[in-house]
PDB file of all heavy atoms in Angstrom:
ATOM      1  N   GLU A 365      32.063  16.646  -1.714  1.00  0.00           N
ATOM      2  CA  GLU A 365      30.882  16.373  -1.079  1.00  0.00           C
ATOM      3  C   GLU A 365      30.656  14.807  -1.075  1.00  0.00           C
ATOM      4  O   GLU A 365      30.140  14.278  -0.042  1.00  0.00           O
ATOM      5  CB  GLU A 365      29.757  17.092  -1.792  1.00  0.00           C
ATOM      6  CG  GLU A 365      29.742  18.554  -1.753  1.00  0.00           C
ATOM      7  CD  GLU A 365      29.677  19.011  -0.279  1.00  0.00           C
ATOM      8  OE1 GLU A 365      29.031  18.375   0.543  1.00  0.00           O
ATOM      9  OE2 GLU A 365      30.185  20.098   0.100  1.00  0.00           O
ATOM     10  N   GLU A 366      31.047  14.186  -2.154  1.00  0.00           N
ATOM     11  CA  GLU A 366      30.826  12.725  -2.095  1.00  0.00           C
ATOM     12  C   GLU A 366      31.789  12.137  -1.084  1.00  0.00           C
ATOM     13  O   GLU A 366      31.368  11.176  -0.320  1.00  0.00           O
ATOM     14  CB  GLU A 366      31.208  12.154  -3.582  1.00  0.00           C
ATOM     15  CG  GLU A 366      30.976  10.717  -3.757  1.00  0.00           C
ATOM     16  CD  GLU A 366      31.500  10.230  -5.058  1.00  0.00           C
ATOM     17  OE1 GLU A 366      31.809  10.951  -5.844  1.00  0.00           O
ATOM     18  OE2 GLU A 366      31.263   8.950  -5.343  1.00  0.00           O
ATOM     19  N   VAL A 367      32.975  12.461  -1.119  1.00  0.00           N
ATOM     20  CA  VAL A 367      33.964  11.984  -0.018  1.00  0.00           C
ATOM     21  C   VAL A 367      33.410  12.329   1.365  1.00  0.00           C
ATOM     22  O   VAL A 367      33.524  11.429   2.173  1.00  0.00           O
ATOM     23  CB  VAL A 367      35.379  12.665  -0.166  1.00  0.00           C
ATOM     24  CG1 VAL A 367      36.257  12.259   0.930  1.00  0.00           C
ATOM     25  CG2 VAL A 367      35.968  12.208  -1.589  1.00  0.00           C
ATOM     26  N   LYS A 368      32.985  13.516   1.614  1.00  0.00           N
ATOM     27  CA  LYS A 368      32.394  13.840   3.000  1.00  0.00           C
ATOM     28  C   LYS A 368      31.255  12.909   3.387  1.00  0.00           C
ATOM     29  O   LYS A 368      31.151  12.508   4.431  1.00  0.00           O
ATOM     30  CB  LYS A 368      32.215  15.333   2.933  1.00  0.00           C
ATOM     31  CG  LYS A 368      31.723  15.723   4.523  1.00  0.00           C
ATOM     32  CD  LYS A 368      31.437  17.243   4.532  1.00  0.00           C
ATOM     33  CE  LYS A 368      31.269  17.759   5.924  1.00  0.00           C
ATOM     34  NZ  LYS A 368      30.245  16.941   6.604  1.00  0.00           N
ATOM     35  N   ALA A 369      30.358  12.775   2.372  1.00  0.00           N
ATOM     36  CA  ALA A 369      29.199  11.907   2.624  1.00  0.00           C
ATOM     37  C   ALA A 369      29.650  10.546   3.049  1.00  0.00           C
ATOM     38  O   ALA A 369      29.067   9.908   3.819  1.00  0.00           O
ATOM     39  CB  ALA A 369      28.275  11.901   1.514  1.00  0.00           C
ATOM     40  N   PHE A 370      30.680  10.032   2.318  1.00  0.00           N
ATOM     41  CA  PHE A 370      31.121   8.722   2.569  1.00  0.00           C
ATOM     42  C   PHE A 370      31.729   8.483   3.972  1.00  0.00           C
ATOM     43  O   PHE A 370      31.548   7.654   4.727  1.00  0.00           O
ATOM     44  CB  PHE A 370      32.137   8.276   1.528  1.00  0.00           C
ATOM     45  CG  PHE A 370      32.657   6.882   1.790  1.00  0.00           C
ATOM     46  CD1 PHE A 370      31.864   5.793   1.545  1.00  0.00           C
ATOM     47  CD2 PHE A 370      33.999   6.721   2.129  1.00  0.00           C
ATOM     48  CE1 PHE A 370      32.367   4.423   1.692  1.00  0.00           C
ATOM     49  CE2 PHE A 370      34.587   5.418   2.194  1.00  0.00           C
ATOM     50  CZ  PHE A 370      33.695   4.219   2.092  1.00  0.00           C
ATOM     51  N   VAL A 371      32.578   9.658   4.269  1.00  0.00           N
ATOM     52  CA  VAL A 371      33.347   9.663   5.594  1.00  0.00           C
ATOM     53  C   VAL A 371      32.264   9.682   6.757  1.00  0.00           C
ATOM     54  O   VAL A 371      32.480   8.968   7.688  1.00  0.00           O
ATOM     55  CB  VAL A 371      34.157  10.801   5.687  1.00  0.00           C
ATOM     56  CG1 VAL A 371      34.683  11.055   7.064  1.00  0.00           C
ATOM     57  CG2 VAL A 371      35.357  10.542   4.755  1.00  0.00           C
ATOM     58  N   ASP A 372      31.238  10.510   6.524  1.00  0.00           N
ATOM     59  CA  ASP A 372      30.224  10.650   7.643  1.00  0.00           C
ATOM     60  C   ASP A 372      29.378   9.279   7.808  1.00  0.00           C
ATOM     61  O   ASP A 372      29.042   8.999   8.848  1.00  0.00           O
ATOM     62  CB  ASP A 372      29.079  11.850   7.255  1.00  0.00           C
ATOM     63  CG  ASP A 372      29.719  13.156   7.240  1.00  0.00           C
ATOM     64  OD1 ASP A 372      30.871  13.368   7.880  1.00  0.00           O
ATOM     65  OD2 ASP A 372      29.142  14.127   6.703  1.00  0.00           O
ATOM     66  N   LYS A 373      29.127   8.671   6.536  1.00  0.00           N
ATOM     67  CA  LYS A 373      28.484   7.291   6.763  1.00  0.00           C
ATOM     68  C   LYS A 373      29.273   6.365   7.502  1.00  0.00           C
ATOM     69  O   LYS A 373      28.759   5.622   8.331  1.00  0.00           O
ATOM     70  CB  LYS A 373      28.205   6.675   5.279  1.00  0.00           C
ATOM     71  CG  LYS A 373      27.746   5.353   5.150  1.00  0.00           C
ATOM     72  CD  LYS A 373      27.753   4.891   3.814  1.00  0.00           C
ATOM     73  CE  LYS A 373      27.464   3.350   3.683  1.00  0.00           C
ATOM     74  NZ  LYS A 373      27.434   2.737   2.309  1.00  0.00           N
ATOM     75  N   ILE A 374      30.694   6.382   7.198  1.00  0.00           N
ATOM     76  CA  ILE A 374      31.475   5.444   7.967  1.00  0.00           C
ATOM     77  C   ILE A 374      31.589   5.809   9.486  1.00  0.00           C
ATOM     78  O   ILE A 374      31.495   4.894  10.460  1.00  0.00           O
ATOM     79  CB  ILE A 374      32.860   5.317   7.356  1.00  0.00           C
ATOM     80  CG1 ILE A 374      32.928   4.854   5.967  1.00  0.00           C
ATOM     81  CG2 ILE A 374      33.764   4.547   8.259  1.00  0.00           C
ATOM     82  CD1 ILE A 374      32.266   3.411   5.791  1.00  0.00           C
ATOM     83  N   LYS A 375      31.580   7.000   9.712  1.00  0.00           N
ATOM     84  CA  LYS A 375      31.656   7.576  11.136  1.00  0.00           C
ATOM     85  C   LYS A 375      30.406   7.171  11.939  1.00  0.00           C
ATOM     86  O   LYS A 375      30.424   7.308  13.076  1.00  0.00           O
ATOM     87  CB  LYS A 375      32.040   8.933  11.286  1.00  0.00           C
ATOM     88  CG  LYS A 375      33.549   9.274  10.898  1.00  0.00           C
ATOM     89  CD  LYS A 375      33.912  10.740  11.072  1.00  0.00           C
ATOM     90  CE  LYS A 375      35.388  10.999  10.961  1.00  0.00           C
ATOM     91  NZ  LYS A 375      35.818  12.376  11.297  1.00  0.00           N
ATOM     92  N   ALA A 376      29.353   6.952  11.265  1.00  0.00           N
ATOM     93  CA  ALA A 376      28.035   6.806  11.838  1.00  0.00           C
ATOM     94  C   ALA A 376      27.912   5.298  12.186  1.00  0.00           C
ATOM     95  O   ALA A 376      26.855   4.860  12.924  1.00  0.00           O
ATOM     96  CB  ALA A 376      26.905   7.210  11.025  1.00  0.00           C
ATOM     97  N   MET A 377      28.857   4.479  11.826  1.00  0.00           N
ATOM     98  CA  MET A 377      28.915   3.061  12.291  1.00  0.00           C
ATOM     99  C   MET A 377      29.435   2.793  13.673  1.00  0.00           C
ATOM    100  O   MET A 377      30.259   3.703  14.028  1.00  0.00           O
ATOM    101  CB  MET A 377      29.770   2.232  11.214  1.00  0.00           C
ATOM    102  CG  MET A 377      29.128   2.363   9.734  1.00  0.00           C
ATOM    103  SD  MET A 377      30.316   1.469   8.556  1.00  0.00           S
ATOM    104  CE  MET A 377      30.116  -0.105   9.033  1.00  0.00           C
ATOM    105  N   SER A 378      29.024   1.763  14.373  1.00  0.00           N
ATOM    106  CA  SER A 378      29.538   1.456  15.585  1.00  0.00           C
ATOM    107  C   SER A 378      30.930   0.919  15.382  1.00  0.00           C
ATOM    108  O   SER A 378      31.304   0.532  14.242  1.00  0.00           O
ATOM    109  CB  SER A 378      28.757   0.481  16.339  1.00  0.00           C
ATOM    110  OG  SER A 378      28.822  -0.883  15.659  1.00  0.00           O
ATOM    111  N   THR A 379      31.809   0.851  16.357  1.00  0.00           N
ATOM    112  CA  THR A 379      33.175   0.353  16.308  1.00  0.00           C
ATOM    113  C   THR A 379      33.233  -1.110  15.959  1.00  0.00           C
ATOM    114  O   THR A 379      34.020  -1.642  15.175  1.00  0.00           O
ATOM    115  CB  THR A 379      33.951   0.651  17.564  1.00  0.00           C
ATOM    116  OG1 THR A 379      33.280   0.129  18.698  1.00  0.00           O
ATOM    117  CG2 THR A 379      34.272   2.080  17.710  1.00  0.00           C
ATOM    118  N   LYS A 380      32.150  -1.809  16.442  1.00  0.00           N
ATOM    119  CA  LYS A 380      32.027  -3.214  16.065  1.00  0.00           C
ATOM    120  C   LYS A 380      31.733  -3.562  14.667  1.00  0.00           C
ATOM    121  O   LYS A 380      32.362  -4.245  13.892  1.00  0.00           O
ATOM    122  CB  LYS A 380      31.024  -3.930  16.884  1.00  0.00           C
ATOM    123  CG  LYS A 380      30.887  -5.517  16.727  1.00  0.00           C
ATOM    124  CD  LYS A 380      29.880  -5.973  17.792  1.00  0.00           C
ATOM    125  CE  LYS A 380      29.784  -7.494  17.466  1.00  0.00           C
ATOM    126  NZ  LYS A 380      28.655  -8.126  18.447  1.00  0.00           N
ATOM    127  N   GLU A 381      30.758  -2.718  14.122  1.00  0.00           N
ATOM    128  CA  GLU A 381      30.382  -2.802  12.689  1.00  0.00           C
ATOM    129  C   GLU A 381      31.502  -2.343  11.853  1.00  0.00           C
ATOM    130  O   GLU A 381      31.843  -2.968  10.835  1.00  0.00           O
ATOM    131  CB  GLU A 381      29.157  -1.913  12.298  1.00  0.00           C
ATOM    132  CG  GLU A 381      27.863  -2.303  13.031  1.00  0.00           C
ATOM    133  CD  GLU A 381      26.775  -1.164  12.701  1.00  0.00           C
ATOM    134  OE1 GLU A 381      26.973   0.043  12.981  1.00  0.00           O
ATOM    135  OE2 GLU A 381      25.764  -1.607  12.224  1.00  0.00           O
ATOM    136  N   ARG A 382      32.264  -1.379  12.365  1.00  0.00           N
ATOM    137  CA  ARG A 382      33.368  -0.898  11.461  1.00  0.00           C
ATOM    138  C   ARG A 382      34.420  -1.834  11.217  1.00  0.00           C
ATOM    139  O   ARG A 382      35.215  -1.953  10.232  1.00  0.00           O
ATOM    140  CB  ARG A 382      33.954   0.337  12.234  1.00  0.00           C
ATOM    141  CG  ARG A 382      34.949   1.079  11.479  1.00  0.00           C
ATOM    142  CD  ARG A 382      34.470   1.839  10.389  1.00  0.00           C
ATOM    143  NE  ARG A 382      35.554   2.464   9.627  1.00  0.00           N
ATOM    144  CZ  ARG A 382      36.270   1.883   8.677  1.00  0.00           C
ATOM    145  NH1 ARG A 382      35.778   0.690   8.340  1.00  0.00           N
ATOM    146  NH2 ARG A 382      37.217   2.352   8.146  1.00  0.00           N
ATOM    147  N   GLY A 383      34.583  -2.860  12.238  1.00  0.00           N
ATOM    148  CA  GLY A 383      35.569  -3.840  12.133  1.00  0.00           C
ATOM    149  C   GLY A 383      35.186  -5.066  11.343  1.00  0.00           C
ATOM    150  O   GLY A 383      35.917  -5.960  10.964  1.00  0.00           O
ATOM    151  N   ILE A 384      33.864  -5.159  10.786  1.00  0.00           N
ATOM    152  CA  ILE A 384      33.428  -6.223   9.996  1.00  0.00           C
ATOM    153  C   ILE A 384      32.840  -5.666   8.702  1.00  0.00           C
ATOM    154  O   ILE A 384      31.848  -4.943   8.689  1.00  0.00           O
ATOM    155  CB  ILE A 384      32.261  -6.863  10.769  1.00  0.00           C
ATOM    156  CG1 ILE A 384      32.603  -7.364  12.248  1.00  0.00           C
ATOM    157  CG2 ILE A 384      31.645  -8.031   9.801  1.00  0.00           C
ATOM    158  CD1 ILE A 384      31.519  -7.899  12.959  1.00  0.00           C
ATOM    159  N   VAL A 385      33.639  -5.899   7.697  1.00  0.00           N
ATOM    160  CA  VAL A 385      33.263  -5.323   6.289  1.00  0.00           C
ATOM    161  C   VAL A 385      32.884  -6.502   5.386  1.00  0.00           C
ATOM    162  O   VAL A 385      33.645  -7.380   5.172  1.00  0.00           O
ATOM    163  CB  VAL A 385      34.390  -4.557   5.659  1.00  0.00           C
ATOM    164  CG1 VAL A 385      34.145  -4.127   4.334  1.00  0.00           C
ATOM    165  CG2 VAL A 385      34.681  -3.351   6.401  1.00  0.00           C
ATOM    166  N   GLU A 386      31.645  -6.564   5.112  1.00  0.00           N
ATOM    167  CA  GLU A 386      31.186  -7.535   4.129  1.00  0.00           C
ATOM    168  C   GLU A 386      31.403  -7.195   2.580  1.00  0.00           C
ATOM    169  O   GLU A 386      31.812  -7.953   1.859  1.00  0.00           O
ATOM    170  CB  GLU A 386      29.670  -7.873   4.438  1.00  0.00           C
ATOM    171  CG  GLU A 386      29.413  -8.511   5.735  1.00  0.00           C
ATOM    172  CD  GLU A 386      27.974  -8.830   6.013  1.00  0.00           C
ATOM    173  OE1 GLU A 386      27.223  -8.641   5.117  1.00  0.00           O
ATOM    174  OE2 GLU A 386      27.623  -9.280   7.115  1.00  0.00           O
ATOM    175  N   GLU A 387      31.004  -5.850   2.239  1.00  0.00           N
ATOM    176  CA  GLU A 387      31.155  -5.492   0.883  1.00  0.00           C
ATOM    177  C   GLU A 387      32.221  -4.377   0.951  1.00  0.00           C
ATOM    178  O   GLU A 387      32.005  -3.443   1.635  1.00  0.00           O
ATOM    179  CB  GLU A 387      29.908  -5.102   0.404  1.00  0.00           C
ATOM    180  CG  GLU A 387      29.976  -4.789  -1.102  1.00  0.00           C
ATOM    181  CD  GLU A 387      28.691  -4.247  -1.769  1.00  0.00           C
ATOM    182  OE1 GLU A 387      27.656  -4.411  -1.079  1.00  0.00           O
ATOM    183  OE2 GLU A 387      28.624  -3.811  -2.876  1.00  0.00           O
ATOM    184  N   LYS A 388      33.124  -4.451   0.021  1.00  0.00           N
ATOM    185  CA  LYS A 388      34.150  -3.282  -0.167  1.00  0.00           C
ATOM    186  C   LYS A 388      33.480  -2.117  -0.811  1.00  0.00           C
ATOM    187  O   LYS A 388      32.715  -2.296  -1.789  1.00  0.00           O
ATOM    188  CB  LYS A 388      35.290  -3.758  -1.035  1.00  0.00           C
ATOM    189  CG  LYS A 388      36.029  -5.093  -0.515  1.00  0.00           C
ATOM    190  CD  LYS A 388      36.794  -5.007   0.719  1.00  0.00           C
ATOM    191  CE  LYS A 388      37.333  -6.357   1.132  1.00  0.00           C
ATOM    192  NZ  LYS A 388      36.394  -7.400   1.422  1.00  0.00           N
ATOM    193  N   GLU A 389      33.671  -1.035  -0.140  1.00  0.00           N
ATOM    194  CA  GLU A 389      33.093   0.387  -0.656  1.00  0.00           C
ATOM    195  C   GLU A 389      34.138   1.342  -0.587  1.00  0.00           C
ATOM    196  O   GLU A 389      35.018   1.397   0.395  1.00  0.00           O
ATOM    197  CB  GLU A 389      31.935   0.734   0.138  1.00  0.00           C
ATOM    198  CG  GLU A 389      30.701  -0.183  -0.061  1.00  0.00           C
ATOM    199  CD  GLU A 389      29.554   0.371   0.659  1.00  0.00           C
ATOM    200  OE1 GLU A 389      29.577   1.100   1.703  1.00  0.00           O
ATOM    201  OE2 GLU A 389      28.421   0.090   0.182  1.00  0.00           O
ATOM    202  N   GLY A 390      34.066   2.328  -1.453  1.00  0.00           N
ATOM    203  CA  GLY A 390      35.087   3.484  -1.284  1.00  0.00           C
ATOM    204  C   GLY A 390      34.572   4.570  -2.261  1.00  0.00           C
ATOM    205  O   GLY A 390      33.807   4.439  -3.110  1.00  0.00           O
ATOM    206  N   VAL A 391      35.409   5.689  -2.190  1.00  0.00           N
ATOM    207  CA  VAL A 391      35.227   6.845  -3.020  1.00  0.00           C
ATOM    208  C   VAL A 391      36.531   7.372  -3.418  1.00  0.00           C
ATOM    209  O   VAL A 391      37.475   7.320  -2.643  1.00  0.00           O
ATOM    210  CB  VAL A 391      34.457   7.979  -2.412  1.00  0.00           C
ATOM    211  CG1 VAL A 391      32.813   7.579  -2.373  1.00  0.00           C
ATOM    212  CG2 VAL A 391      34.972   8.349  -0.968  1.00  0.00           C
ATOM    213  N   PHE A 392      36.701   7.923  -4.726  1.00  0.00           N
ATOM    214  CA  PHE A 392      37.850   8.547  -5.206  1.00  0.00           C
ATOM    215  C   PHE A 392      37.995   9.908  -4.496  1.00  0.00           C
ATOM    216  O   PHE A 392      37.094  10.781  -4.580  1.00  0.00           O
ATOM    217  CB  PHE A 392      37.905   8.558  -6.680  1.00  0.00           C
ATOM    218  CG  PHE A 392      38.998   9.352  -7.245  1.00  0.00           C
ATOM    219  CD1 PHE A 392      40.333   9.064  -6.888  1.00  0.00           C
ATOM    220  CD2 PHE A 392      38.799  10.340  -8.257  1.00  0.00           C
ATOM    221  CE1 PHE A 392      41.380   9.787  -7.440  1.00  0.00           C
ATOM    222  CE2 PHE A 392      39.825  10.986  -8.884  1.00  0.00           C
ATOM    223  CZ  PHE A 392      41.059  10.670  -8.533  1.00  0.00           C
ATOM    224  N   THR A 393      39.162  10.399  -4.064  1.00  0.00           N
ATOM    225  CA  THR A 393      39.457  11.544  -3.366  1.00  0.00           C
ATOM    226  C   THR A 393      39.669  12.725  -4.319  1.00  0.00           C
ATOM    227  O   THR A 393      39.674  13.920  -3.950  1.00  0.00           O
ATOM    228  CB  THR A 393      40.597  11.525  -2.387  1.00  0.00           C
ATOM    229  OG1 THR A 393      41.827  11.289  -3.130  1.00  0.00           O
ATOM    230  CG2 THR A 393      40.449  10.481  -1.377  1.00  0.00           C
ATOM    231  N   GLY A 394      39.977  12.443  -5.564  1.00  0.00           N
ATOM    232  CA  GLY A 394      40.165  13.388  -6.512  1.00  0.00           C
ATOM    233  C   GLY A 394      41.690  13.733  -6.632  1.00  0.00           C
ATOM    234  O   GLY A 394      42.186  14.486  -7.518  1.00  0.00           O
ATOM    235  N   LYS A 395      42.516  13.054  -5.863  1.00  0.00           N
ATOM    236  CA  LYS A 395      44.058  13.188  -5.896  1.00  0.00           C
ATOM    237  C   LYS A 395      44.793  11.983  -6.226  1.00  0.00           C
ATOM    238  O   LYS A 395      44.215  10.886  -6.126  1.00  0.00           O
ATOM    239  CB  LYS A 395      44.457  13.695  -4.542  1.00  0.00           C
ATOM    240  CG  LYS A 395      43.961  15.094  -4.180  1.00  0.00           C
ATOM    241  CD  LYS A 395      44.632  16.132  -5.036  1.00  0.00           C
ATOM    242  CE  LYS A 395      44.160  17.625  -4.857  1.00  0.00           C
ATOM    243  NZ  LYS A 395      44.449  18.166  -3.475  1.00  0.00           N
ATOM    244  N   TYR A 396      46.053  12.272  -6.675  1.00  0.00           N
ATOM    245  CA  TYR A 396      46.930  11.019  -7.018  1.00  0.00           C
ATOM    246  C   TYR A 396      48.135  11.019  -6.215  1.00  0.00           C
ATOM    247  O   TYR A 396      48.520  11.977  -5.719  1.00  0.00           O
ATOM    248  CB  TYR A 396      47.118  11.132  -8.464  1.00  0.00           C
ATOM    249  CG  TYR A 396      46.005  10.941  -9.451  1.00  0.00           C
ATOM    250  CD1 TYR A 396      45.145  11.961  -9.709  1.00  0.00           C
ATOM    251  CD2 TYR A 396      45.695   9.692  -9.963  1.00  0.00           C
ATOM    252  CE1 TYR A 396      44.061  11.865 -10.590  1.00  0.00           C
ATOM    253  CE2 TYR A 396      44.737   9.528 -10.832  1.00  0.00           C
ATOM    254  CZ  TYR A 396      43.831  10.594 -11.189  1.00  0.00           C
ATOM    255  OH  TYR A 396      42.781  10.439 -11.958  1.00  0.00           O
ATOM    256  N   ALA A 397      48.647   9.796  -5.982  1.00  0.00           N
ATOM    257  CA  ALA A 397      49.943   9.637  -5.330  1.00  0.00           C
ATOM    258  C   ALA A 397      50.898   9.171  -6.405  1.00  0.00           C
ATOM    259  O   ALA A 397      50.639   8.818  -7.589  1.00  0.00           O
ATOM    260  CB  ALA A 397      49.865   8.540  -4.229  1.00  0.00           C
TER     261      ALA A 397
END
C-alpha cells in the first residue's frame, strides 16, 4: 500500500516536474536483490 501510494504520487506529476527532483524520496519495496 505504501509503495502503491508513492507510485500514484509520482504518476500524478507532470513530465516536466518529473524530470526535476529537488529532494530525493523513495520507499522500500519489501524485496531484496
Side-chain angles (χ1 to χ4, degrees):
E365 291 303 325
E366 184 184 358
V367 171
K368 187 176 185 306
F370 181 71
V371 169
D372 290 344
K373 173 186 171 182
I374 297 300
K375 286 187 173 182
M377 299 169 70
S378 71
T379 55
K380 184 178 182 180
E381 289 174 310
R382 189 64 188 89
I384 305 170
V385 173
E386 294 181 2
E387 183 180 355
K388 309 292 183 292
E389 292 182 333
V391 290
F392 177 47
T393 63
K395 291 290 179 67
Y396 292 82

